[in-house]
Amino acid sequence: MHSAPSRPFAPRAFLATLNFCASMLAACGGEKPAPIPDPPTVTLTVPQPNTAAPSLTVRIIVSGCDAVSRVDIYDRDTFLKSVAYTSGSMDFELEKNEIKYDRGLAVGLSLNARATCADGRANVSQPQAATFLPVAKVIKDPDPNGQVVTDFFIAEGSGTNVSFLGCGNPTTGSGTLYRVDSAGVVRNSVSMGIPCTTDTVITAVNKVSKKRWVWTPGIGAIAVDDNFVITGRTATTYAPERFSVMDDGDALVINGINVSRLNHTSTNGAFQWTHQSSWRPVGPAQQKGAQVVFPMARVPNEASPSLLELVVVTLDANTTGDKVPLVQEKAITQYQGDTSSPPPIALSADGRTIFLALAFANNQSRVQACSAEVAGCEGSALKWMSTTFPVPTNFLLPFYAGTRLAVIGTQRVWFLDTANGLVTNKGGTSVDASGQLRILQAQLGQPTSPEFYLLAGSGQGGALPVEIVAVDTAENGELFRYEVSSSLSCSVDDSGRLWMRVGNNLVQALTLPEYRAVKK
């Protein structure tokens, strides 16, 4: 006989089954936790990634947030500023004092935006490259395709009275001189009767005549007053090769072996006097008190045609006639060369010293300074000999009230103290154009100022400069460099303020002390 199980046993088994099923339900079904939302999408772009302006515009878009609590802008890992972003695409300005210049001025930025949603989710944009040169202001032509100033220009006046002169070739094909104001409005223009080229030079206003000269090498020159009235010019058949301005505003011009004085009132191109040199001048003529001096290279011995002699010729500045004799000539030094390719030569502002760059083996060069008043560059007449430079010298340019001499190669520049010939560059290191660019022009500051600007470009097919390198003093070294994809040029106004044409726009730079203050 089997006994029946006790009653308490059955409920315990049933209860265990219920507990097991409950645990299985908890494991295999029922309510699941909410998925974690994706981070927001953050985008930062720079509408003008290479710009010279008072501020840099950045565009930010954040998506994937119900609300955005914070957006910060960084340059790499350096915090720049927080912006009040709300929604959609928004533009913000990075002011010039909000950008860090630890790596220098006008260097590459790598900007990113870091956004945080109200619920705490966050993300970072991809980096955006940008180049920014801080400046005081930018002037744009009302015509989107218009250019405020000509390709090359000079600034005159200062402050609110600044204006800009430039030479251009309009559709008529005749070279025209323009003056525009600080708003880019043309105030004066005159057809010059000679074409403009990238080599056209506009001189400063002469303090005595109150006129300036505009000359295009190999073509012609005009004298023009402040009202844009042409008062003097070269004859249509005369092609000036070298040009300088005398104290009273007259011009000293050279063509071939002829050196002439052209009055600023000569409307038919007649010269006050002409001197026919025995050999071709190798530098511009220069006034020295009541005299005119110029350098000439000759072959003293026809049996040795490669042995040349540098001579300084002196003329009477105030004489008249078609065949003016020389007053004296001083044979300074001899060198190996070719009369058709003279070495770089420059006279000091007072005409008492002549600088000569001589070529050496292995593409090296050296500069020597000689008295221009004593025959033979020996003894006390040899003022100094520079160090040897590792590149050929293409040009010598005195500046800073005659206390400095720029030794300019194809890509490199050294600055010498004219008192002793020592290199004054910071650390003795040359100031160079970037990459494969070539030095095309140099812009000086005021006559008594130490600043120096290099303009560099490809140098091919008449291409315009694309890079400027600014030096406030040789001893301080490079202040900034800025390169564009279009073209640029520059000038300084009467206060020494730098103005640049960057593409079609006209830009007023900050003062050099302002740049130096943030230069690390």
Side-chain angles (χ1 to χ4, degrees):
M1 176 177 180
H2 298 283
S3 59
S6 61
R7 293 181 62 88
F9 176 80
R12 282 197 298 269
F14 179 68
L15 185 59
T17 301
L18 291 177
N19 289 338
F20 173 76
C21 290
S23 64
M24 287 297 294
L25 288 173
C28 301
E31 185 176 351
K32 297 181 181 179
I36 299 175
D38 292 332
T41 300
V42 186
T43 304
L44 180 147
T45 57
V46 182
Q48 294 183 327
N50 186 346
T51 186
S55 62
L56 179 64
T57 302
V58 298
R59 184 166 296 156
I60 296 176
I61 302 174
V62 181
S63 60
C65 291
D66 291 334
V68 177
S69 65
R70 183 183 181 93
V71 173
D72 299 326
I73 300 175
Y74 284 74
D75 175 19
R76 294 174 174 84
D77 292 324
T78 301
F79 172 79
L80 299 183
K81 69 183 297 186
S82 296
V83 295
Y85 179 88
T86 54
S87 63
S89 175
M90 298 185 68
D91 287 354
F92 300 96
E93 297 299 319
L94 284 172
E95 301 298 333
K96 54 180 175 286
N97 61 348
E98 294 175 329
I99 294 175
K100 306 298 187 292
Y101 303 100
D102 298 339
R103 297 185 304 280
L105 293 157
V107 298
L109 304 173
S110 182
L111 301 174
N112 64 85
R114 306 183 183 187
T116 303
C117 300
D119 60 11
R121 288 176 297 123
N123 208 351
V124 181
S125 69
Q126 291 295 313
Q128 173 68 51
T131 299
F132 174 67
L133 176 68
V135 301
K137 66 179 177 181
V138 177
I139 300 170
K140 298 182 178 182
D141 194 284
D143 179 355
N145 298 316
Q147 189 168 300
V148 178
V149 294
T150 54
D151 287 343
F152 297 101
F153 69 98
I154 65 167
E156 62 176 5
S158 61
T160 58
N161 295 319
V162 69
S163 56
F164 309 94
L165 276 70
C167 177
N169 297 307
T171 55
T172 59
S174 176
T176 301
L177 184 67
Y178 297 94
R179 173 187 281 135
V180 301
D181 60 20
S182 58
V185 178
V186 176
R187 296 302 183 188
N188 302 92
S189 66
V190 62
S191 177
M192 301 188 302
I194 59 174
C196 302
T197 72
T198 56
D199 296 322
T200 298
V201 177
I202 303 175
T203 71
V205 172
N206 181 266
K207 294 181 179 179
V208 177
S209 69
K210 308 299 181 184
K211 302 170 186 176
R212 66 174 82 244
W213 287 88
V214 183
W215 76 286
T216 300
I219 298 179
I222 64 164
V224 60
D225 66 16
D226 190 57
N227 295 316
F228 272 44
V229 175
I230 296 174
T231 66
R233 66 169 61 249
T234 52
T236 56
T237 56
Y238 184 82
E241 297 170 359
R242 302 182 187 273
F243 194 99
S244 63
V245 181
M246 302 181 70
D247 294 343
D248 66 353
D250 286 352
L252 294 171
V253 293
I254 295 176
N255 173 267
I257 61 174
N258 295 321
V259 181
S260 306
R261 177 172 179 170
L262 177 64
N263 299 135
H264 59 82
T265 56
S266 178
T267 56
N268 61 359
F271 298 123
Q272 177 176 321
W273 54 256
T274 294
H275 167 75
Q276 190 174 78
S277 176
S278 57
W279 292 85
R280 196 179 189 91
V282 292
Q286 180 174 310
Q287 184 176 358
K288 182 183 177 184
Q291 297 177 326
V292 169
V293 296
F294 67 89
M296 175 186 74
R298 67 186 178 194
V299 179
N301 184 356
E302 293 184 0
S304 302
S306 63
L307 180 63
L308 303 182
E309 189 170 58
L310 176 64
V311 179
V312 174
V313 179
T314 303
L315 309 174
D316 182 352
N318 299 310
T319 188
T320 58
D322 293 335
K323 295 183 179 180
V324 174
L326 57 84
V327 173
Q328 67 176 14
E329 59 182 25
K330 299 287 186 181
I332 304 301
T333 189
Q334 293 184 340
Y335 62 93
Q336 293 291 326
D338 182 351
T339 55
S340 63
S341 302
I345 294 171
L347 283 164
S348 61
D350 60 11
R352 301 181 63 184
T353 303
I354 188 166
F355 306 102
L356 170 68
L358 296 175
F360 288 88
N362 300 317
N363 289 322
Q364 300 181 97
S365 62
R366 190 169 63 198
V367 179
Q368 68 182 55
C370 305
S371 171
E373 301 174 319
V374 179
C377 188
E378 299 174 342
S380 61
L382 174 58
K383 297 192 173 185
W384 48 259
M385 188 81 73
S386 77
T387 186
T388 299
F389 301 106
V391 298
T393 296
N394 297 335
F395 201 77
L396 297 175
L397 183 60
F399 70 107
Y400 192 13
T403 64
R404 295 291 182 269
L405 179 70
V407 181
I408 304 174
T410 300
Q411 292 185 295
R412 308 176 68 179
V413 179
W414 288 266
F415 304 110
L416 305 185
D417 186 331
T418 55
N420 51 35
L422 296 178
V423 173
T424 62
N425 296 54
K426 182 179 181 180
T429 303
S430 62
V431 177
D432 302 345
S434 296
Q436 299 301 311
L437 297 181
R438 303 163 63 93
I439 297 170
L440 303 180
Q441 295 179 339
Q443 171 67 52
L444 304 180
Q446 293 299 305
T448 58
S449 299
E451 60 263 27
F452 193 96
Y453 304 94
L454 301 180
L455 294 172
S458 68
Q460 299 177 353
L464 300 177
V466 296
E467 178 184 61
I468 180 171
V469 183
V471 177
D472 51 353
T473 69
E475 293 78 4
N476 285 340
E478 178 185 318
L479 181 59
F480 70 80
R481 69 176 58 226
Y482 181 56
E483 184 177 348
V484 299
S485 59
S486 52
S487 68
L488 53 74
S489 59
C490 73
S491 179
V492 295
D493 64 23
D494 293 349
S495 70
R497 193 70 170 269
L498 175 67
W499 292 82
M500 297 185 292
R501 179 192 61 78
V502 179
N504 289 342
N505 298 336
L506 180 63
V507 172
Q508 183 190 43
L510 300 176
T511 65
L512 298 188
E514 287 176 310
Y515 285 125
R516 180 56 67 181
V518 298
K519 173 81 171 179
K520 300 297 183 182

